[in-house]
């Protein structure tokens, strides 16, 4: 007898697919279907393999089509039947939601009151919650400062039932924000204090106490033991799951973080993703996020925007009536030695790539090294002193003699000018050495800095991240904060004390840029408080490519989210260099190669 056997393996969160019979063309089709979807396929023998359960769900309908075509009978294990029934229920819920009326504000208020939710929603938040609670799972892509956490907790308050758990996955710097919001939203209702889940042994002990609300990080899911502990907990309890700053798992199957999150996507009863920058590079960034919400719907970069449109809400900056921000690209001439070194390194990098096979892993790694080297040179050539000490000793001596590079000189001079006017300044650089050097140069202004090496802690712990933020906010003698967007672009509100930002450099990561800007351009600004963002661009360098590429990415995001309020000001140069591309997108690498070769 010819049949296909499908089993669910809860211990590994995988589907085991086995085949018996002579219809080899059918089996080749099934194997090819899975091979094309994921590299995470494990063969026990030529007639049996396993894949992540969510991947099986993704391809379930195509498998059914093949079975119908070849008239193959399925044999489904009991645990697989249970999971498929749950999945079918979620599919039906989505179909019902698409045909149902939106819940009225009065019904939402009644449900929130019944759940002892104490915060009053703004009208735009109420509209978002009305739509979200009508969905089996959804997304809030509202801009920072619009109250996404409040919307999410209102969603939880309406959706939860007795015994329901809440798992929040977020960057570690957002823990304090969630804890504060939970307390504010359930004030007087004696809510269960959220438990921080970090470290496998501590997590195992915490879960034994059956916590109601849990906070953990994306990186914790990369630990196999932690993933299985949480998967077991989600399997045994009705759980609502939030992904905060969900773009962190945008790589999906191509990244450990994305694979780990997607592996448990079938377990929560309902899910919500939150981010203000859902597609920082390209529409493909949305695919993994949508797969998390609806693992049974197969999408790709060509149709994901159409599929996600009905299930997301977004409050824009124009909805909030924020004062405008002013993004000003400032052209900075390089020093003679810096310009000469940039030209040499650009030429050497082009020669290095000439003998490598285009698209190979060695080629991609070399291209990435060249790209980062040029970013550093355009930012501050001192970042490459060790690299050039042997190969270009003459230029090294000249660079040292010239002192601080033009960008650092400008930033320090501008910060002092603003300090004389009684204004504080936020200075951004992607490079740790720059962050520390600039803070050192501006000690006369009480400068503090934050990068990935600065530990989180309380406001009382000197030199902790929170202590430095508090200093910048509340100490009048602390006039400057220097920060790395990767470490400080999320979870900080500085708009009450600072309206001036200076970017020494930027990368192709649009999420880092947009979220760092939103530290000072967010809800709470008064009329006339218009942030000034100065973007320093070294002429005729990779900086121009970065800027133009960010403009394109942000325009694409604007189109996908129907939000015209996120468009930055384009830059214009007489001899504009062709757009450089984000190294995260293989199709865009040619722009960097063209820049290296000087062909445009």
């Amino acid at each position: 007898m010819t049949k296909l056997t499908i089993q669910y393996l809860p211990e590994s969160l995988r589907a085991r697919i086995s085949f018996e019979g002579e219809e080899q063309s059918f089996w080749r089709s099934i194997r090819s279907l899975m091979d094309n979807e994921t590299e995470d396929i494990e063969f026990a023998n030529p007639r049996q393999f396993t894949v992540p359960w969510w991947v099986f769900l993704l391809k379930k309908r195509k498998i059914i089509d093949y079975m119908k075509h070849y008239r193959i009978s399925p044999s489904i294990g009991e645990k697989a039947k249970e999971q498929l029934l749950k999945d079918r229920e979620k599919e039906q819920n989505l179909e019902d939601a698409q045909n149902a009326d939106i819940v009225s504000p009065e019904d939402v208020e009644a449900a929130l009151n019944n759940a002892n939710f104490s915060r009053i929603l703004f009208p735009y938040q109420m509209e978002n919650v009305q739509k979200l609670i009508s969905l089996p799972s959804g997304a809030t892509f509202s801009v920072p400062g619009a109250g996404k956490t409040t919307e999410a907790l209102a969603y939880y308050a309406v959706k939860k039932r007795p015994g329901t758990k809440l798992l929040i996955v977020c960057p570690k710097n957002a823990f304090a924000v969630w804890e504060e919001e939970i307390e504010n939203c359930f004030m007087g209702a004696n809510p269960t204090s959220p438990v921080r889940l970090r470290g496998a042994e501590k997590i195992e002990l915490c879960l034994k106490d059956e916590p109601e609300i849990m906070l953990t990080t994306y990186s914790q899911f990369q630990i196999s033991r932690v993933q299985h502990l949480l998967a077991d907990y989600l399997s045994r309890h009705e759980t609502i799951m939030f992904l905060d700053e969900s773009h962190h798992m945008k790589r999906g199957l191509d990244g450990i973080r994305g694979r780990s999150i997607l592996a448990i996507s079938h377990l929560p009863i309902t899910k919500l993703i939150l981010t203000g920058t859902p597609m920082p590079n390209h529409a493909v960034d949305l695919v993994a996020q949508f797969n998390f919400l609806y693992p049974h719907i197969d999408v790709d970069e060509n149709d994901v925007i159409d599929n996600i449109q009905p299930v997301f809400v977004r409050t824009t900056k124009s909805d909030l009536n924020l004062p405008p921000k002013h993004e000003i690209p400032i052209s900075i001439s390089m020093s003679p030695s810096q310009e000469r070194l940039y030209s040499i390194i650009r030429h050497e990098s082009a020669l290095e790539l000439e003998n490598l096979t285009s698209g190979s892993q060695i080629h991609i790694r070399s291209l990435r090294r060249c790209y980062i080297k040029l970013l550093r040179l355009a930012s501050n050539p001192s970042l490459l002193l060790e690299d050039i000490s042997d190969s270009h000793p003459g230029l090294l001596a000249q660079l040292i003699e010239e002192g601080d590079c033009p960008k650092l000189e400008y930033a320090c001079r501008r910060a002092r000018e603003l300090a004389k006017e009684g204004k504080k300044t936020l200075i951004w650089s992607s490079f740790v050495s720059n962050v520390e050097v600039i803070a050192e140069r501006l000690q006369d202004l009480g400068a503090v800095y934050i990068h990935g090496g600065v530990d989180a802690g309380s406001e009382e712990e000197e030199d902790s991240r929170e202590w430095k933020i508090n200093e910048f906010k509340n100490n009048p003698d602390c006039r400057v904060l220097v920060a790395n967007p990767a470490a400080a672009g999320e979870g900080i509100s500085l708009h009450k004390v600072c309206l001036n930002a200076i970017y020494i450099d930027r990368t192709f990561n649009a999420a880092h840029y947009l979220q760092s800007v939103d530290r000072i351009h967010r809800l709470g600004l008064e009329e006339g408080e218009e942030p000034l963002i100065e973007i320093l661009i070294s002429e005729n360098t990779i900086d121009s490519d970065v800027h133009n590429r960010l403009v394109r990415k942000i325009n694409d995001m604007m189109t996908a989210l129907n939000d015209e309020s996120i468009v930055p000001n384009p830059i214009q140069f007489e001899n504009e260099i062709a757009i450089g591309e984000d190294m995260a997108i293989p199709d865009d690498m040619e722009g960097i190669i063209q820049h290296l070769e000087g062909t445009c």
Side-chain angles (χ1 to χ4, degrees):
M1 180 180 179
T2 300
K3 68 176 181 179
L4 188 73
T5 301
I6 300 167
Q7 296 171 298
Y8 174 63
L9 310 177
E11 66 279 3
S12 61
L13 306 172
R14 297 175 74 85
R16 178 193 287 149
I17 301 176
S18 311
F19 179 67
E20 297 176 24
E22 301 302 321
E23 188 54 79
Q24 291 303 309
S25 57
F26 165 76
W27 184 234
R28 282 195 298 270
S29 297
I30 298 297
R31 289 178 53 167
S32 177
L33 182 68
M34 294 303 181
D35 268 331
N36 291 334
E37 181 62 33
T38 179
E39 295 180 3
D40 189 6
I41 180 169
E42 299 175 358
F43 285 91
N45 58 60
R47 288 174 171 265
Q48 183 183 101
F49 64 81
T50 68
V51 292
W53 180 257
W54 78 272
V55 173
F56 165 72
L57 291 180
L58 204 63
K59 298 301 179 183
K60 180 184 65 175
R61 291 183 181 177
K62 288 189 178 180
I63 292 174
I64 292 172
D65 289 341
Y66 280 128
M67 287 193 295
K68 288 179 178 177
H69 178 76
Y70 287 98
R71 298 180 180 179
I72 303 298
S73 301
S75 175
I76 302 174
E78 288 304 315
K79 288 185 170 61
K81 284 181 182 177
E82 291 175 13
Q83 291 299 322
L84 288 170
L85 284 172
K86 291 178 182 178
D87 178 60
R88 179 56 194 145
E89 183 180 348
K90 291 173 183 177
E91 288 185 49
Q92 187 61 52
N93 289 341
L94 179 59
E95 292 174 16
D96 294 343
Q98 291 171 338
N99 298 317
D101 294 330
I102 296 293
V103 182
S104 70
E106 293 75 19
D107 287 342
V108 174
E109 287 182 6
L112 292 175
N113 289 334
N114 189 53
N116 295 314
F117 189 85
S118 55
R119 178 163 278 177
I120 304 299
L121 299 180
F122 290 109
Y124 60 84
Q125 290 177 319
M126 175 59 78
E127 288 182 13
N128 289 346
V129 173
Q130 284 176 258
K131 179 176 178 178
L132 289 172
I133 63 174
S134 70
L135 297 165
S137 293
T140 172
F141 295 153
S142 298
V143 297
K148 290 192 293 293
T149 51
T150 297
E151 291 174 6
L153 291 171
Y155 176 89
Y156 164 66
V158 174
K159 289 276 191 178
K160 72 173 183 174
R161 298 183 292 204
T164 298
K165 312 298 183 183
L166 174 62
L167 175 63
I168 303 167
V169 184
C170 61
K172 65 179 180 181
N173 56 30
F175 279 4
V177 174
W178 277 102
E179 289 165 343
E180 181 180 350
E181 286 299 300
I182 289 167
E183 182 177 351
N184 291 337
C185 288
F186 296 95
M187 194 177 298
N190 298 316
T192 302
S193 297
V195 173
R196 295 187 178 192
L197 301 180
R198 298 186 68 183
E201 292 184 6
K202 290 183 179 178
I203 289 175
E204 187 170 16
L205 289 174
C206 287
L207 294 182
K208 288 180 179 179
D209 294 331
E210 304 277 314
E212 178 185 342
I213 303 177
M214 299 155 283
L215 290 164
T216 194
T217 64
Y218 289 92
S219 59
Q220 289 297 313
F221 269 92
Q222 297 174 218
I223 303 169
S224 177
R225 185 181 170 197
V226 170
Q227 184 198 54
H228 286 104
L229 286 169
L230 291 172
D232 177 67
Y233 195 76
L234 268 60
S235 299
R236 292 185 290 106
H237 299 87
E238 270 197 356
T239 306
I240 297 172
M241 186 170 173
F242 296 164
L243 296 186
D244 188 16
E245 306 298 355
S246 56
H247 57 272
H248 281 266
M249 55 86 67
K250 69 182 189 299
R251 292 185 63 201
L253 286 173
D254 293 332
I256 298 174
R257 182 176 292 176
R259 289 199 302 272
S260 302
I261 295 291
L262 288 170
I264 54 88
S265 61
H266 60 287
L267 296 176
I269 59 168
T270 184
K271 293 158 284 189
L272 194 65
I273 60 174
L274 305 85
T275 176
T277 51
M279 46 175 289
N281 294 310
H282 191 271
V284 72
D285 295 339
L286 286 168
V287 171
Q289 297 176 76
F290 185 81
N291 285 156
F292 171 76
L293 294 177
Y294 295 103
H296 63 278
I297 301 179
D298 196 359
V299 297
D300 60 25
E301 61 186 279
N302 298 310
D303 61 6
V304 66
I305 290 175
D306 290 338
N307 276 277
I308 207 168
Q309 287 281 345
V311 299
F312 84 80
V313 298
R314 178 173 175 86
T315 300
T316 69
K317 289 188 173 180
S318 57
D319 292 333
L320 299 176
N321 294 317
L322 289 187
K325 65 181 184 296
H326 303 283
E327 294 168 287
I328 303 176
I330 296 176
S331 181
I332 301 289
S333 298
M334 290 191 286
S335 70
S337 298
Q338 182 184 11
E339 188 171 0
R340 196 174 309 119
L341 181 61
Y342 189 93
S343 179
I344 291 171
I345 296 298
R346 181 177 176 177
H347 179 67
E348 290 177 348
S349 297
L351 290 176
E352 177 186 336
L353 292 168
E354 269 187 9
N355 298 320
L356 299 175
T357 303
S358 180
S360 67
Q361 288 302 309
I362 295 175
H363 180 265
I364 293 171
R365 285 195 295 269
S366 296
L367 186 57
R368 184 170 288 113
R369 285 196 301 270
C370 297
Y371 157 64
I372 294 172
K373 189 179 293 186
L374 292 179
L375 280 179
R376 288 175 171 170
L377 267 173
S379 173
N380 175 11
S382 295
L383 298 173
L384 289 178
L385 288 182
E386 290 185 10
D387 293 352
I388 64 173
S389 59
D390 294 329
S391 55
H392 304 286
L395 275 176
L396 172 64
Q398 292 173 25
L399 284 168
I400 293 173
E401 186 177 341
E402 284 177 349
D404 280 346
C405 73
K407 279 189 176 182
L408 267 61
E409 283 184 357
Y410 178 94
C412 291
R413 181 175 69 252
R414 183 74 176 123
R416 291 193 174 95
E417 290 172 357
L418 291 167
K420 287 179 181 178
E421 299 173 14
K423 298 175 181 177
K424 297 196 175 195
T425 306
L426 181 55
I427 301 177
W428 296 99
S429 175
S430 303
F431 302 107
V432 169
S433 295
N434 269 354
V435 170
E436 294 186 355
V437 166
I438 295 168
E440 178 64 29
R441 296 285 192 277
L442 295 174
Q443 279 305 296
D444 55 308
L445 301 182
V448 293
Y449 68 82
I450 295 175
H451 54 59
V454 178
D455 289 334
S458 69
E459 293 180 356
E460 288 72 38
E461 295 178 76
E462 190 167 347
D463 290 331
S464 69
R465 171 192 168 91
E466 284 69 22
W467 181 87
K468 292 184 176 189
I469 294 169
N470 186 60
E471 278 288 290
F472 184 63
K473 284 183 173 181
N474 298 309
N475 185 346
D477 294 327
C478 179
R479 302 292 182 88
V480 176
L481 172 61
V482 192
N484 181 322
E490 300 168 343
I492 303 174
S493 298
L494 302 173
H495 58 299
K496 293 295 185 182
V497 298
C498 178
L499 295 175
N500 291 86
I502 300 171
Y503 285 81
I504 303 293
D505 48 66
R506 298 177 300 169
T507 70
F508 288 127
N509 191 318
H512 282 170
Y513 173 63
L514 288 172
Q515 298 213 351
S516 61
V517 166
D518 286 333
R519 298 315 95 206
I520 62 173
H521 189 231
R522 57 198 296 118
L523 188 65
L525 289 173
E526 302 294 334
E527 185 176 351
E529 292 183 335
E530 301 179 1
L532 177 64
I533 295 134
E534 299 177 60
I535 302 165
L536 309 188
I537 297 180
S538 292
E539 292 178 347
N540 301 316
T541 70
I542 197 77
D543 281 354
S544 301
D545 299 276
V546 167
H547 184 91
N548 291 326
R549 180 56 186 159
L550 288 177
V551 169
R552 177 182 291 182
K553 290 179 179 181
I554 293 167
N555 284 338
D556 289 346
M557 195 185 307
M558 171 201 73
T559 301
L561 300 180
N562 303 313
D563 181 1
E564 297 182 359
S565 66
I566 57 177
V567 180
N569 297 326
I571 186 171
Q572 303 264 335
F573 284 132
E574 289 184 7
N575 299 311
E576 190 170 321
I577 298 174
I579 296 172
E581 308 294 349
D582 195 314
M583 296 297 294
I585 305 173
D587 291 344
D588 294 340
M589 292 181 183
E590 186 61 31
I592 300 297
I593 295 173
Q594 290 175 358
H595 174 74
L596 290 172
E597 295 174 345
T599 58
C600 47

